[in-house]
Structure formats: C-alpha cells, structure tokens
Amino acid sequence: MDMAIIKIYEEFVDNELKSTFEALKNKWIEEVGCQSNPRNLYKNKFYQAIISMGKKVIPILIEDFKSPQGDWFQALYEITGVNPIREGNGGYVPKMIEDWENWYKNSYV
C-alpha cells in the first residue's frame, strides 16, 4: 500500500479520535458542572465512554492534562491498571501530572 495513503488514513483516524474525545469531554463537563464529588465525576456516562475508548486515547489524555478540565487520573488508571504516582506526590496535582507524563514517555511511547 502507498505510504502516503497510509499517512492520510492515520491522520484521519487521529483526528476522528480527537473529535470524539472532545465531544465526550464537553458533554461530561456540561453534565457534571463543578461537582466536587469524585464519584459523580468519574461514574458519569461520558467519562466512562472516554475510558471505553481504551489505550488509543492515552496520548490524548496525557496531552489534555494541560487543559483546566484535564482530570484524567482515574481514567488513565482504569485504562492502564497502572498508578505511576510516586509516594508523596498524591494530592499535589502538578507532580501527579508529571508522574503520568514520565510514565507515558518511559513506558508507553
């Protein structure tokens, strides 16, 4: 198969995946608002739909940590079964994000 066609297809799939993620994320944010109960946040059908996208959404979740609504710790844990947050970093969001980014760079890519 022509490599140019493969590249175009891969970009289409990536864009489609990102669009689906963004739509689900926006619906999740709209539905849960500013609830502080994690159970309500993470059990929401749209958050669960993002989780059901599986491992292919991991790079998008890691990148989306940079957004104000990028609360993907539970989703990443449910998808990967891994908790790379180092002892002492729990509760300190910038460090938790850094731990996930390091996991992604060293274990996933």
Short mmCIF file of all heavy atoms in Angstrom, two decimals, residues 32-96:
data_model
loop_
_atom_site.label_atom_id
_atom_site.label_comp_id
_atom_site.label_asym_id
_atom_site.label_seq_id
_atom_site.Cartn_x
_atom_site.Cartn_y
_atom_site.Cartn_z
N VAL A 32 -21.56 17.39 34.51
CA VAL A 32 -21.14 17.35 35.91
C VAL A 32 -20.90 18.73 36.49
O VAL A 32 -20.85 18.89 37.71
CB VAL A 32 -19.90 16.44 36.15
CG1 VAL A 32 -20.19 15.02 35.75
CG2 VAL A 32 -18.67 16.98 35.46
N GLY A 33 -20.73 19.73 35.63
CA GLY A 33 -20.52 21.09 36.11
C GLY A 33 -19.33 21.17 37.05
O GLY A 33 -18.27 20.63 36.78
N CYS A 34 -19.53 21.79 38.17
CA CYS A 34 -18.43 21.94 39.12
C CYS A 34 -18.69 21.09 40.37
O CYS A 34 -18.42 21.51 41.48
CB CYS A 34 -18.20 23.40 39.47
SG CYS A 34 -19.69 24.25 39.99
N GLN A 35 -19.21 19.90 40.18
CA GLN A 35 -19.41 18.98 41.30
C GLN A 35 -18.06 18.61 41.88
O GLN A 35 -17.09 18.41 41.15
CB GLN A 35 -20.14 17.72 40.84
CG GLN A 35 -21.54 17.95 40.37
CD GLN A 35 -22.19 16.66 39.89
OE1 GLN A 35 -21.73 15.58 40.19
NE2 GLN A 35 -23.27 16.80 39.16
N SER A 36 -18.01 18.48 43.17
CA SER A 36 -16.74 18.14 43.80
C SER A 36 -16.66 16.67 44.21
O SER A 36 -15.60 16.20 44.59
CB SER A 36 -16.50 19.03 45.01
OG SER A 36 -17.55 18.86 45.94
N ASN A 37 -17.76 15.96 44.12
CA ASN A 37 -17.76 14.55 44.49
C ASN A 37 -17.15 13.72 43.36
O ASN A 37 -17.74 13.60 42.29
CB ASN A 37 -19.18 14.08 44.78
CG ASN A 37 -19.25 12.64 45.25
OD1 ASN A 37 -18.31 11.87 45.10
ND2 ASN A 37 -20.39 12.29 45.81
N PRO A 38 -15.96 13.14 43.59
CA PRO A 38 -15.30 12.36 42.52
C PRO A 38 -16.18 11.24 41.98
O PRO A 38 -16.11 10.92 40.80
CB PRO A 38 -14.06 11.80 43.20
CG PRO A 38 -13.81 12.69 44.35
CD PRO A 38 -15.15 13.19 44.79
N ARG A 39 -17.00 10.64 42.82
CA ARG A 39 -17.87 9.56 42.36
C ARG A 39 -18.77 10.04 41.23
O ARG A 39 -18.96 9.36 40.23
CB ARG A 39 -18.68 9.01 43.52
CG ARG A 39 -19.53 7.85 43.15
CD ARG A 39 -20.32 7.36 44.35
NE ARG A 39 -21.03 6.17 43.96
CZ ARG A 39 -20.83 4.99 44.48
NH1 ARG A 39 -19.96 4.84 45.44
NH2 ARG A 39 -21.51 3.95 44.06
N ASN A 40 -19.33 11.24 41.37
CA ASN A 40 -20.19 11.80 40.33
C ASN A 40 -19.39 12.12 39.07
O ASN A 40 -19.88 11.95 37.96
CB ASN A 40 -20.90 13.05 40.82
CG ASN A 40 -21.88 12.76 41.93
OD1 ASN A 40 -22.38 11.65 42.07
ND2 ASN A 40 -22.16 13.76 42.74
N LEU A 41 -18.18 12.60 39.27
CA LEU A 41 -17.34 12.97 38.13
C LEU A 41 -16.94 11.76 37.30
O LEU A 41 -17.02 11.76 36.08
CB LEU A 41 -16.08 13.69 38.61
CG LEU A 41 -16.26 15.03 39.31
CD1 LEU A 41 -14.91 15.51 39.84
CD2 LEU A 41 -16.85 16.05 38.38
N TYR A 42 -16.47 10.73 37.98
CA TYR A 42 -15.86 9.59 37.30
C TYR A 42 -16.84 8.51 36.88
O TYR A 42 -16.53 7.71 36.02
CB TYR A 42 -14.75 8.99 38.15
CG TYR A 42 -13.73 10.01 38.58
CD1 TYR A 42 -13.20 9.99 39.85
CD2 TYR A 42 -13.30 11.02 37.72
CE1 TYR A 42 -12.25 10.93 40.25
CE2 TYR A 42 -12.38 11.97 38.11
CZ TYR A 42 -11.85 11.92 39.38
OH TYR A 42 -10.93 12.85 39.77
N LYS A 43 -18.00 8.47 37.49
CA LYS A 43 -19.01 7.48 37.11
C LYS A 43 -19.95 7.99 36.03
O LYS A 43 -20.79 7.26 35.53
CB LYS A 43 -19.82 7.03 38.34
CG LYS A 43 -18.98 6.31 39.38
CD LYS A 43 -18.36 5.06 38.80
CE LYS A 43 -17.49 4.35 39.82
NZ LYS A 43 -16.75 3.24 39.26
N ASN A 44 -19.77 9.24 35.65
CA ASN A 44 -20.59 9.83 34.62
C ASN A 44 -20.45 9.05 33.31
O ASN A 44 -19.36 8.60 32.95
CB ASN A 44 -20.16 11.29 34.42
CG ASN A 44 -20.91 11.97 33.30
OD1 ASN A 44 -20.51 11.86 32.14
ND2 ASN A 44 -21.98 12.64 33.64
N LYS A 45 -21.55 8.92 32.58
CA LYS A 45 -21.56 8.10 31.35
C LYS A 45 -20.58 8.62 30.29
O LYS A 45 -20.01 7.84 29.55
CB LYS A 45 -22.97 8.01 30.78
CG LYS A 45 -23.55 9.33 30.34
CD LYS A 45 -25.01 9.20 29.92
CE LYS A 45 -25.59 10.57 29.65
NZ LYS A 45 -27.03 10.52 29.50
N PHE A 46 -20.35 9.93 30.25
CA PHE A 46 -19.44 10.47 29.24
C PHE A 46 -17.98 10.21 29.62
O PHE A 46 -17.15 9.91 28.77
CB PHE A 46 -19.70 11.96 28.99
CG PHE A 46 -21.09 12.22 28.47
CD1 PHE A 46 -22.01 12.90 29.23
CD2 PHE A 46 -21.48 11.74 27.23
CE1 PHE A 46 -23.30 13.13 28.76
CE2 PHE A 46 -22.76 11.95 26.73
CZ PHE A 46 -23.68 12.65 27.51
N TYR A 47 -17.67 10.32 30.90
CA TYR A 47 -16.32 9.99 31.38
C TYR A 47 -16.06 8.50 31.14
O TYR A 47 -14.99 8.12 30.67
CB TYR A 47 -16.21 10.33 32.87
CG TYR A 47 -14.80 10.37 33.41
CD1 TYR A 47 -14.07 11.55 33.39
CD2 TYR A 47 -14.20 9.24 33.95
CE1 TYR A 47 -12.78 11.61 33.90
CE2 TYR A 47 -12.90 9.30 34.47
CZ TYR A 47 -12.19 10.48 34.43
OH TYR A 47 -10.92 10.53 34.94
N GLN A 48 -17.06 7.69 31.42
CA GLN A 48 -16.93 6.25 31.20
C GLN A 48 -16.78 5.92 29.71
O GLN A 48 -16.06 5.00 29.33
CB GLN A 48 -18.11 5.49 31.81
CG GLN A 48 -18.12 5.51 33.33
CD GLN A 48 -16.90 4.83 33.91
OE1 GLN A 48 -16.55 3.72 33.54
NE2 GLN A 48 -16.21 5.52 34.82
N ALA A 49 -17.44 6.70 28.86
CA ALA A 49 -17.31 6.50 27.41
C ALA A 49 -15.88 6.81 26.96
O ALA A 49 -15.34 6.12 26.08
CB ALA A 49 -18.31 7.36 26.65
N ILE A 50 -15.27 7.81 27.57
CA ILE A 50 -13.87 8.12 27.25
C ILE A 50 -12.98 6.95 27.67
O ILE A 50 -12.12 6.51 26.91
CB ILE A 50 -13.43 9.43 27.92
CG1 ILE A 50 -14.13 10.62 27.24
CG2 ILE A 50 -11.91 9.60 27.88
CD1 ILE A 50 -14.01 11.95 27.96
N ILE A 51 -13.22 6.42 28.85
CA ILE A 51 -12.46 5.26 29.33
C ILE A 51 -12.63 4.08 28.37
O ILE A 51 -11.67 3.38 28.05
CB ILE A 51 -12.87 4.88 30.76
CG1 ILE A 51 -12.41 5.97 31.74
CG2 ILE A 51 -12.32 3.51 31.16
CD1 ILE A 51 -12.97 5.84 33.14
N SER A 52 -13.84 3.90 27.87
CA SER A 52 -14.10 2.76 26.98
C SER A 52 -13.39 2.89 25.63
O SER A 52 -13.30 1.92 24.89
CB SER A 52 -15.61 2.58 26.77
OG SER A 52 -16.12 3.59 25.93
N MET A 53 -12.84 4.07 25.34
CA MET A 53 -12.08 4.24 24.10
C MET A 53 -10.77 3.45 24.18
O MET A 53 -10.14 3.19 23.17
CB MET A 53 -11.82 5.72 23.84
CG MET A 53 -13.08 6.51 23.55
SD MET A 53 -12.82 8.30 23.52
CE MET A 53 -12.10 8.50 21.89
N GLY A 54 -10.35 3.12 25.39
CA GLY A 54 -9.20 2.25 25.58
C GLY A 54 -7.86 2.93 25.40
O GLY A 54 -7.75 4.15 25.44
N LYS A 55 -6.85 2.11 25.19
CA LYS A 55 -5.47 2.58 25.16
C LYS A 55 -5.18 3.61 24.08
O LYS A 55 -4.27 4.42 24.23
CB LYS A 55 -4.52 1.38 25.03
CG LYS A 55 -4.50 0.54 26.27
CD LYS A 55 -3.49 -0.57 26.19
CE LYS A 55 -3.53 -1.33 27.51
NZ LYS A 55 -2.43 -2.24 27.67
N LYS A 56 -5.95 3.59 23.02
CA LYS A 56 -5.69 4.54 21.94
C LYS A 56 -5.92 6.00 22.37
O LYS A 56 -5.39 6.91 21.75
CB LYS A 56 -6.54 4.20 20.72
CG LYS A 56 -8.02 4.27 20.97
CD LYS A 56 -8.83 3.73 19.81
CE LYS A 56 -10.29 3.66 20.21
NZ LYS A 56 -11.04 2.81 19.34
N VAL A 57 -6.65 6.21 23.47
CA VAL A 57 -6.93 7.58 23.92
C VAL A 57 -5.87 8.07 24.93
O VAL A 57 -5.85 9.25 25.26
CB VAL A 57 -8.37 7.68 24.51
CG1 VAL A 57 -8.45 7.11 25.91
CG2 VAL A 57 -8.86 9.11 24.49
N ILE A 58 -4.98 7.21 25.36
CA ILE A 58 -3.97 7.60 26.36
C ILE A 58 -3.17 8.83 25.94
O ILE A 58 -3.04 9.77 26.73
CB ILE A 58 -3.05 6.41 26.72
CG1 ILE A 58 -3.84 5.36 27.49
CG2 ILE A 58 -1.83 6.88 27.51
CD1 ILE A 58 -3.09 4.07 27.75
N PRO A 59 -2.62 8.91 24.73
CA PRO A 59 -1.87 10.12 24.36
C PRO A 59 -2.71 11.40 24.45
O PRO A 59 -2.21 12.45 24.84
CB PRO A 59 -1.42 9.86 22.93
CG PRO A 59 -1.52 8.39 22.74
CD PRO A 59 -2.61 7.92 23.66
N ILE A 60 -3.98 11.29 24.12
CA ILE A 60 -4.87 12.46 24.18
C ILE A 60 -5.09 12.86 25.63
O ILE A 60 -5.07 14.05 25.96
CB ILE A 60 -6.21 12.15 23.47
CG1 ILE A 60 -5.96 11.89 21.98
CG2 ILE A 60 -7.19 13.29 23.67
CD1 ILE A 60 -7.15 11.36 21.22
N LEU A 61 -5.28 11.89 26.51
CA LEU A 61 -5.48 12.20 27.93
C LEU A 61 -4.24 12.86 28.53
O LEU A 61 -4.35 13.83 29.28
CB LEU A 61 -5.83 10.93 28.71
CG LEU A 61 -7.13 10.23 28.32
CD1 LEU A 61 -7.32 8.97 29.15
CD2 LEU A 61 -8.31 11.16 28.47
N ILE A 62 -3.08 12.32 28.19
CA ILE A 62 -1.83 12.90 28.70
C ILE A 62 -1.70 14.35 28.23
O ILE A 62 -1.38 15.25 29.02
CB ILE A 62 -0.60 12.07 28.25
CG1 ILE A 62 -0.64 10.65 28.85
CG2 ILE A 62 0.70 12.79 28.57
CD1 ILE A 62 -0.49 10.57 30.35
N GLU A 63 -1.98 14.61 26.98
CA GLU A 63 -1.91 15.97 26.43
C GLU A 63 -2.96 16.87 27.08
O GLU A 63 -2.71 18.04 27.35
CB GLU A 63 -2.10 15.94 24.91
CG GLU A 63 -2.06 17.29 24.25
CD GLU A 63 -0.72 17.99 24.34
OE1 GLU A 63 0.32 17.32 24.45
OE2 GLU A 63 -0.71 19.24 24.31
N ASP A 64 -4.13 16.32 27.36
CA ASP A 64 -5.23 17.13 27.87
C ASP A 64 -5.06 17.51 29.34
O ASP A 64 -5.80 18.33 29.86
CB ASP A 64 -6.57 16.42 27.66
CG ASP A 64 -7.73 17.39 27.72
OD1 ASP A 64 -7.83 18.25 26.82
OD2 ASP A 64 -8.51 17.32 28.69
N PHE A 65 -4.09 16.93 30.02
CA PHE A 65 -3.79 17.36 31.38
C PHE A 65 -3.51 18.87 31.43
O PHE A 65 -3.68 19.51 32.46
CB PHE A 65 -2.57 16.63 31.95
CG PHE A 65 -2.88 15.36 32.69
CD1 PHE A 65 -2.11 14.23 32.47
CD2 PHE A 65 -3.90 15.29 33.61
CE1 PHE A 65 -2.36 13.06 33.15
CE2 PHE A 65 -4.16 14.12 34.31
CZ PHE A 65 -3.39 13.00 34.08
N LYS A 66 -3.08 19.43 30.30
CA LYS A 66 -2.75 20.85 30.24
C LYS A 66 -3.99 21.74 30.26
O LYS A 66 -3.90 22.93 30.53
CB LYS A 66 -1.93 21.15 28.99
CG LYS A 66 -0.57 20.47 29.00
CD LYS A 66 0.16 20.66 27.70
CE LYS A 66 1.45 19.84 27.70
NZ LYS A 66 2.04 19.73 26.40
N SER A 67 -5.15 21.17 29.99
CA SER A 67 -6.38 21.97 29.99
C SER A 67 -6.92 22.08 31.42
O SER A 67 -6.65 21.23 32.27
CB SER A 67 -7.43 21.33 29.07
OG SER A 67 -8.03 20.22 29.71
N PRO A 68 -7.68 23.13 31.68
CA PRO A 68 -8.21 23.31 33.04
C PRO A 68 -9.12 22.16 33.52
O PRO A 68 -9.20 21.90 34.70
CB PRO A 68 -9.02 24.61 32.95
CG PRO A 68 -8.50 25.30 31.74
CD PRO A 68 -8.00 24.23 30.81
N GLN A 69 -9.76 21.49 32.59
CA GLN A 69 -10.65 20.39 32.96
C GLN A 69 -10.00 19.03 32.77
O GLN A 69 -10.67 18.01 32.75
CB GLN A 69 -11.95 20.42 32.13
CG GLN A 69 -12.78 21.65 32.33
CD GLN A 69 -12.37 22.79 31.41
OE1 GLN A 69 -11.64 22.61 30.46
NE2 GLN A 69 -12.84 23.97 31.70
N GLY A 70 -8.69 18.98 32.67
CA GLY A 70 -7.99 17.74 32.37
C GLY A 70 -7.79 16.84 33.58
O GLY A 70 -6.67 16.63 34.02
N ASP A 71 -8.87 16.33 34.12
CA ASP A 71 -8.81 15.45 35.30
C ASP A 71 -8.90 14.00 34.84
O ASP A 71 -9.96 13.38 34.86
CB ASP A 71 -9.95 15.78 36.26
CG ASP A 71 -9.84 15.03 37.57
OD1 ASP A 71 -9.00 14.10 37.67
OD2 ASP A 71 -10.59 15.35 38.49
N TRP A 72 -7.76 13.45 34.42
CA TRP A 72 -7.75 12.13 33.79
C TRP A 72 -7.04 11.06 34.60
O TRP A 72 -6.76 9.98 34.10
CB TRP A 72 -7.15 12.24 32.38
CG TRP A 72 -7.87 13.26 31.58
CD1 TRP A 72 -7.38 14.42 31.07
CD2 TRP A 72 -9.25 13.23 31.21
NE1 TRP A 72 -8.35 15.12 30.42
CE2 TRP A 72 -9.53 14.41 30.49
CE3 TRP A 72 -10.30 12.35 31.44
CZ2 TRP A 72 -10.78 14.71 29.99
CZ3 TRP A 72 -11.56 12.66 30.94
CH2 TRP A 72 -11.78 13.82 30.22
N PHE A 73 -6.77 11.33 35.87
CA PHE A 73 -6.06 10.35 36.70
C PHE A 73 -6.82 9.04 36.80
O PHE A 73 -6.27 7.96 36.60
CB PHE A 73 -5.78 10.92 38.10
CG PHE A 73 -4.97 12.18 38.07
CD1 PHE A 73 -5.54 13.40 38.39
CD2 PHE A 73 -3.63 12.15 37.70
CE1 PHE A 73 -4.81 14.57 38.36
CE2 PHE A 73 -2.88 13.32 37.66
CZ PHE A 73 -3.48 14.52 38.00
N GLN A 74 -8.10 9.13 37.10
CA GLN A 74 -8.92 7.93 37.25
C GLN A 74 -9.06 7.20 35.91
O GLN A 74 -8.98 5.98 35.85
CB GLN A 74 -10.30 8.27 37.82
CG GLN A 74 -11.17 7.07 38.09
CD GLN A 74 -10.61 6.18 39.20
OE1 GLN A 74 -9.95 6.66 40.12
NE2 GLN A 74 -10.86 4.90 39.11
N ALA A 75 -9.27 7.95 34.85
CA ALA A 75 -9.42 7.33 33.53
C ALA A 75 -8.14 6.58 33.14
O ALA A 75 -8.20 5.44 32.68
CB ALA A 75 -9.75 8.38 32.47
N LEU A 76 -7.00 7.22 33.34
CA LEU A 76 -5.73 6.57 33.00
C LEU A 76 -5.52 5.32 33.83
O LEU A 76 -5.06 4.29 33.33
CB LEU A 76 -4.57 7.55 33.17
CG LEU A 76 -4.46 8.60 32.07
CD1 LEU A 76 -3.55 9.73 32.50
CD2 LEU A 76 -3.98 7.96 30.77
N TYR A 77 -5.85 5.40 35.10
CA TYR A 77 -5.72 4.22 35.96
C TYR A 77 -6.62 3.09 35.48
O TYR A 77 -6.20 1.93 35.38
CB TYR A 77 -6.02 4.56 37.42
CG TYR A 77 -6.03 3.33 38.29
CD1 TYR A 77 -4.84 2.71 38.64
CD2 TYR A 77 -7.23 2.77 38.71
CE1 TYR A 77 -4.84 1.56 39.40
CE2 TYR A 77 -7.24 1.62 39.48
CZ TYR A 77 -6.04 1.02 39.82
OH TYR A 77 -6.04 -0.12 40.56
N GLU A 78 -7.88 3.42 35.16
CA GLU A 78 -8.82 2.38 34.71
C GLU A 78 -8.40 1.77 33.37
O GLU A 78 -8.58 0.58 33.15
CB GLU A 78 -10.24 2.93 34.65
CG GLU A 78 -10.81 3.16 36.04
CD GLU A 78 -12.28 3.48 36.03
OE1 GLU A 78 -13.02 2.95 35.17
OE2 GLU A 78 -12.70 4.27 36.89
N ILE A 79 -7.84 2.58 32.49
CA ILE A 79 -7.42 2.07 31.19
C ILE A 79 -6.16 1.21 31.31
O ILE A 79 -6.06 0.16 30.69
CB ILE A 79 -7.18 3.23 30.19
CG1 ILE A 79 -8.51 3.93 29.86
CG2 ILE A 79 -6.51 2.73 28.92
CD1 ILE A 79 -8.34 5.26 29.14
N THR A 80 -5.20 1.68 32.12
CA THR A 80 -3.89 1.01 32.15
C THR A 80 -3.72 0.02 33.29
O THR A 80 -2.88 -0.87 33.21
CB THR A 80 -2.76 2.06 32.29
OG1 THR A 80 -2.87 2.70 33.57
CG2 THR A 80 -2.81 3.08 31.17
N GLY A 81 -4.45 0.23 34.38
CA GLY A 81 -4.25 -0.59 35.57
C GLY A 81 -2.97 -0.20 36.30
O GLY A 81 -2.51 -0.92 37.19
N VAL A 82 -2.39 0.94 35.94
CA VAL A 82 -1.12 1.41 36.50
C VAL A 82 -1.37 2.67 37.30
O VAL A 82 -2.20 3.50 36.93
CB VAL A 82 -0.13 1.72 35.35
CG1 VAL A 82 1.12 2.38 35.85
CG2 VAL A 82 0.20 0.46 34.57
N ASN A 83 -0.63 2.82 38.39
CA ASN A 83 -0.64 4.06 39.15
C ASN A 83 0.81 4.51 39.33
O ASN A 83 1.47 4.11 40.28
CB ASN A 83 -1.31 3.90 40.51
CG ASN A 83 -1.35 5.20 41.28
OD1 ASN A 83 -0.93 6.25 40.80
ND2 ASN A 83 -1.83 5.13 42.51
N PRO A 84 1.32 5.35 38.42
CA PRO A 84 2.72 5.75 38.48
C PRO A 84 3.01 6.91 39.43
O PRO A 84 4.13 7.39 39.50
CB PRO A 84 3.02 6.17 37.04
CG PRO A 84 1.72 6.75 36.59
CD PRO A 84 0.66 5.88 37.23
N ILE A 85 1.99 7.35 40.17
CA ILE A 85 2.18 8.49 41.06
C ILE A 85 3.07 8.07 42.23
O ILE A 85 2.74 7.15 42.96
CB ILE A 85 0.83 9.06 41.54
CG1 ILE A 85 0.04 9.56 40.33
CG2 ILE A 85 1.06 10.18 42.56
CD1 ILE A 85 -1.38 9.94 40.62
N ARG A 86 4.19 8.77 42.34
CA ARG A 86 5.18 8.42 43.36
C ARG A 86 4.69 8.81 44.75
O ARG A 86 3.92 9.76 44.90
CB ARG A 86 6.51 9.10 43.06
CG ARG A 86 7.14 8.58 41.77
CD ARG A 86 8.41 9.30 41.43
NE ARG A 86 8.09 10.71 41.15
CZ ARG A 86 8.95 11.70 41.22
NH1 ARG A 86 10.19 11.48 41.57
NH2 ARG A 86 8.59 12.92 40.94
N GLU A 87 5.16 8.06 45.72
CA GLU A 87 4.82 8.32 47.11
C GLU A 87 5.17 9.77 47.45
O GLU A 87 6.24 10.27 47.10
CB GLU A 87 5.59 7.37 48.02
CG GLU A 87 5.13 7.42 49.45
CD GLU A 87 5.81 6.38 50.31
OE1 GLU A 87 6.12 5.28 49.80
OE2 GLU A 87 6.01 6.67 51.49
N GLY A 88 4.26 10.43 48.10
CA GLY A 88 4.46 11.83 48.45
C GLY A 88 3.90 12.80 47.43
O GLY A 88 3.76 13.99 47.72
N ASN A 89 3.59 12.33 46.24
CA ASN A 89 3.05 13.21 45.20
C ASN A 89 1.52 13.22 45.16
O ASN A 89 0.93 14.08 44.51
CB ASN A 89 3.59 12.84 43.82
CG ASN A 89 5.03 13.26 43.64
OD1 ASN A 89 5.60 13.94 44.48
ND2 ASN A 89 5.64 12.84 42.55
N GLY A 90 0.89 12.26 45.82
CA GLY A 90 -0.57 12.18 45.83
C GLY A 90 -1.17 13.45 46.40
O GLY A 90 -0.74 13.94 47.45
N GLY A 91 -2.14 14.01 45.69
CA GLY A 91 -2.79 15.23 46.13
C GLY A 91 -2.14 16.49 45.59
O GLY A 91 -2.72 17.57 45.65
N TYR A 92 -0.93 16.38 45.08
CA TYR A 92 -0.23 17.53 44.50
C TYR A 92 -0.31 17.39 42.98
O TYR A 92 0.52 16.72 42.35
CB TYR A 92 1.21 17.59 45.00
CG TYR A 92 1.96 18.81 44.57
CD1 TYR A 92 1.46 20.09 44.83
CD2 TYR A 92 3.16 18.71 43.88
CE1 TYR A 92 2.14 21.23 44.41
CE2 TYR A 92 3.85 19.84 43.46
CZ TYR A 92 3.33 21.08 43.73
OH TYR A 92 4.01 22.21 43.31
N VAL A 93 -1.33 18.01 42.42
CA VAL A 93 -1.70 17.78 41.01
C VAL A 93 -0.54 17.99 40.03
O VAL A 93 -0.33 17.14 39.17
CB VAL A 93 -2.95 18.60 40.63
CG1 VAL A 93 -3.25 18.49 39.14
CG2 VAL A 93 -4.14 18.14 41.45
N PRO A 94 0.23 19.07 40.10
CA PRO A 94 1.33 19.21 39.13
C PRO A 94 2.30 18.03 39.17
O PRO A 94 2.78 17.58 38.12
CB PRO A 94 2.01 20.52 39.53
CG PRO A 94 0.95 21.30 40.23
CD PRO A 94 0.13 20.28 40.96
N LYS A 95 2.61 17.53 40.35
CA LYS A 95 3.52 16.39 40.48
C LYS A 95 2.86 15.11 39.98
O LYS A 95 3.51 14.26 39.36
CB LYS A 95 3.99 16.22 41.93
CG LYS A 95 4.97 17.28 42.37
CD LYS A 95 6.28 17.08 41.65
CE LYS A 95 7.34 18.03 42.14
NZ LYS A 95 8.56 17.96 41.36
N MET A 96 1.57 14.96 40.23
CA MET A 96 0.85 13.78 39.74
C MET A 96 0.85 13.76 38.21
O MET A 96 1.06 12.71 37.59
CB MET A 96 -0.58 13.78 40.29
CG MET A 96 -0.65 13.59 41.80
SD MET A 96 -2.27 13.96 42.52
CE MET A 96 -3.32 12.75 41.71
#
